Amino acid sequence: MTDQLQTDRVATPPPTSPPPSPLLGPVALTTLLFGAFLPMLSFFIINVALPAIGSDLRANAGELQLVVGSYGIANATLLVVGGRLGDGFGRKRLFLIGLIGFTVMSLICAVAPTIGVLLAARVLQGAAAAAMTPQVLASISSLLTGEHRARAMAMFGVAGGSAAALGQILGGALVEANVFGLGWRAVFLVNVPVGLVALVAAVKLLPETRAAKAQRVDLVGAGLLALTLVLLLLPLTEGRALGWPLWTWLSLAATIPAVALLGVHQHRSEKAGTSPLIPPSVLRLRPMQIGLLLAVGFFTTFGGFMFVFALATQGEAGMSPLEGGLSLLPMSVGFLITSIYGPRLQQRYGAGLILRGWIVQSIGYAVLAVVALTLWPDVTPWTLAIPMLIAGFGSGLVMVPLMGVVVGQVPPAQAGLGSGILLTSQQTCLALGAATVGTAYLALAGTSWGQGGALAAVALAITAISLLMTPVTHQLRAK
């Protein structure tokens, strides 16, 4: 594949043209998908390592939540900015910059001597991921058409879902193996060789693309979004551990005017024709509204569950990091099955596949709640296998097609921006889930409920939310 410059106008043939050969071969597409796989892997791989990190770096529960949340906040804040920069300066260029930064920050995380250094590196790692990930969807949209594009969009969902499930298994194995005495540090160090291989492949295989007309970056909007997320997530993350001091309540209260200020700025920017970060006109599109609601429901609960599951299995249940990771193996199998058959099922059922996913997921989490209430703390990877398999299969049916189905119902001229907004909501909600669901779990676990009761409560809450999402999904299906 040559490094010839492509543009959105050139890459998209007129409707009457015969189907072109894909401009991304299998190896090039796989390389590009590392931009979705590595950031999601890094978000989830540390969950099973959190107890070890806390012990080694003397971090409290709030700081451990920030190890997850700080990455998500930085990533969510800068995703749309990264997309806009890729449109203007070249998507391959931004992909390479992000991949280099992500690999370097992974190395710094691995050698961090204190929790402060680790948190700072996690913020920069999330920022680097924000430069890399938007280029994946934008390049797919620009270089592929028709069935090739639909299949690649489905593979994007598979990459993220597989990384989420496999991350905690790999993390548990690395912590348990304690290779060269690295312990938890290996969960960050593993990104380095993978990142270097992906970097070499990307330089050689990926063609450069950029938007036909670049949009300026709304730095004010990005700053207001960052302020809003910090005001919301920081007190939710730190409040319980600190006893809810006055500043946490003031910060939460300040979220309301911050959201209002962001909305006013975006409205005025769009009215003035100056390319706002999140255009209100796109948010008014019905498919986008439904898609964002589905993304909030799924990623908040999914991110929160992954966080609390690691704490519960390595807490009262007494599992090792490896056993905790292996407890998620059936969920990974569910994702694997979805990855194999999901694209074909998506062509047949469309958004109806997401509807079925919510129902299957609700069954899995309900069974998990029963297991936690009846067997806790004497649970093993075997006793958790059936509910985790069902929940993983259902989660895959929701997550794999979500991006492609929603973006496919948005007008083509706004598809790229719609993808950026959905990715932003994804990362925001993953961080929000770790903060809110994690805080609720820790509060319940410290009462007579215990960790088993708290885990069951979280599972039942996800069951209820999954069922509430079914009528919402039905509206998308009807469009």
Side-chain angles (χ1 to χ4, degrees), residues 170-192:
L170 178 60
L174 289 172
V175 174
E176 184 81 4
N178 194 26
V179 180
F180 302 119
L182 290 170
W184 61 267
R185 299 179 188 275
V187 305
F188 295 108
L189 200 59
V190 71
N191 292 330
V192 177

Side-chain angles (χ1 to χ4, degrees), residues 431-453:
L432 183 65
T436 56
V437 179
T439 296
Y441 166 82
L442 291 170
L444 282 175
T447 67
S448 59
W449 286 61
Q451 293 183 5

Side-chain angles (χ1 to χ4, degrees), residues 37-416:
F37 182 85
L38 283 176
M40 191 68 81
L41 179 75
S42 188
F43 188 95
F44 286 102
I45 196 173
I46 66 168
N47 280 336
V48 294
L50 289 176
I53 293 173
S55 176
D56 189 27
L57 300 184
R58 299 180 180 179
N60 61 38
E63 289 169 331
L64 292 179
Q65 284 178 290
L66 276 179
V67 173
V68 180
S70 61
Y71 175 90
I73 294 172
N75 192 227
T77 301
L78 297 173
L79 271 168
V80 178
V81 174
R84 288 281 170 84
L85 289 174
D87 288 344
F89 295 102
R91 292 164 185 146
K92 176 178 178 178
R93 180 179 300 175
L94 261 290
F95 183 87
L96 293 176
I97 291 173
L99 184 56
I100 291 171
F102 184 88
T103 304
V104 171
M105 286 303 113
S106 295
L107 180 60
I108 294 177
C109 286
V111 300
T114 65
I115 188 65
V117 173
L118 178 59
L119 290 175
R122 285 288 282 173
V123 170
L124 295 176
Q125 189 186 35
M132 177 171 53
T133 306
Q135 317 318 324
V136 180
L137 282 174
S139 295
I140 288 172
S141 297
S142 140
L143 294 169
L144 299 176
T145 59
E147 183 181 346
H148 295 298
R149 179 187 294 178
R151 186 179 297 113
M153 291 283 268
M155 290 177 66
F156 179 89
V158 170
S162 300
L166 292 173
Q168 298 197 181
I169 299 172
L170 178 60
L174 289 172
V175 174
E176 184 81 4
N178 194 26
V179 180
F180 302 119
L182 290 170
W184 61 267
R185 299 179 188 275
V187 305
F188 295 108
L189 200 59
V190 71
N191 292 330
V192 177
V194 178
L196 291 176
V197 171
L199 181 63
V200 173
V203 169
K204 293 183 176 181
L205 298 174
L206 294 185
E208 181 63 282
T209 68
R210 64 181 53 158
K213 181 179 179 181
Q215 302 286 342
R216 78 172 185 86
V217 178
D218 181 10
L219 295 179
V220 174
L224 289 173
L225 177 60
L227 175 64
T228 301
L229 292 177
V230 170
L231 288 173
L232 174 64
L233 295 176
L234 185 60
L236 289 175
T237 300
E238 294 292 289
R240 196 199 70 86
L242 298 177
W244 297 104
L246 178 61
W247 72 264
T248 60
W249 297 107
L250 293 176
S251 180
L252 288 172
T255 302
I256 298 174
V259 170
L261 188 60
L262 175 62
V264 169
H265 172 73
Q266 298 300 281
H267 178 76
R268 289 179 176 176
S269 295
E270 186 172 50
K271 190 174 182 181
T274 56
S275 302
L277 186 74
I278 306 174
S281 61
V282 175
L283 294 181
R284 285 193 292 268
L285 295 171
R286 185 62 175 166
M288 182 56 60
Q289 292 174 351
I290 298 171
L292 285 174
L293 184 55
L294 295 177
V296 170
F298 179 79
F299 290 111
T300 301
T301 54
F302 187 74
F305 174 76
M306 288 294 192
F307 178 81
V308 304
F309 186 80
L311 295 181
T313 53
Q314 294 182 59
E316 289 178 353
M319 293 187 190
S320 66
L322 178 58
E323 289 173 326
L326 288 176
S327 296
L328 287 167
L329 180 59
M331 178 172 277
S332 299
V333 172
F335 271 111
L336 178 61
I337 294 173
T338 305
S339 69
I340 295 173
Y341 297 103
R344 188 184 310 169
L345 293 173
Q346 182 179 337
Q347 290 182 345
R348 179 176 180 180
Y349 295 107
L353 187 62
I354 303 176
L355 182 67
R356 290 165 171 81
W358 287 118
I359 296 172
V360 174
Q361 176 177 279
S362 67
I363 296 172
Y365 282 111
V367 176
L368 176 63
V370 173
V371 171
L373 289 173
T374 56
L375 298 180
W376 197 268
D378 300 319
V379 293
T380 67
W382 288 107
T383 56
L384 295 171
I386 292 178
M388 296 302 291
L389 176 63
I390 298 172
F393 184 66
S395 297
L397 291 178
V398 174
M399 186 175 182
V400 170
L402 178 59
M403 189 75 65
V405 168
V406 174
V407 173
Q409 298 191 47
V410 173
Q414 295 165 312

Side-chain angles (χ1 to χ4, degrees), residues 404-475:
V405 168
V406 174
V407 173
Q409 298 191 47
V410 173
Q414 295 165 312
L417 184 57
S419 299
I421 293 174
L422 280 173
L423 286 173
T424 299
S425 68
Q426 177 195 68
Q427 293 302 316
T428 300
C429 291
L430 287 173
L432 183 65
T436 56
V437 179
T439 296
Y441 166 82
L442 291 170
L444 282 175
T447 67
S448 59
W449 286 61
Q451 293 183 5
L455 179 62
V458 168
L460 288 174
I462 297 176
T463 299
I465 292 171
S466 300
L467 294 175
L468 288 173
M469 289 294 105
T470 55
V472 178
T473 309
H474 186 72
Q475 295 181 48

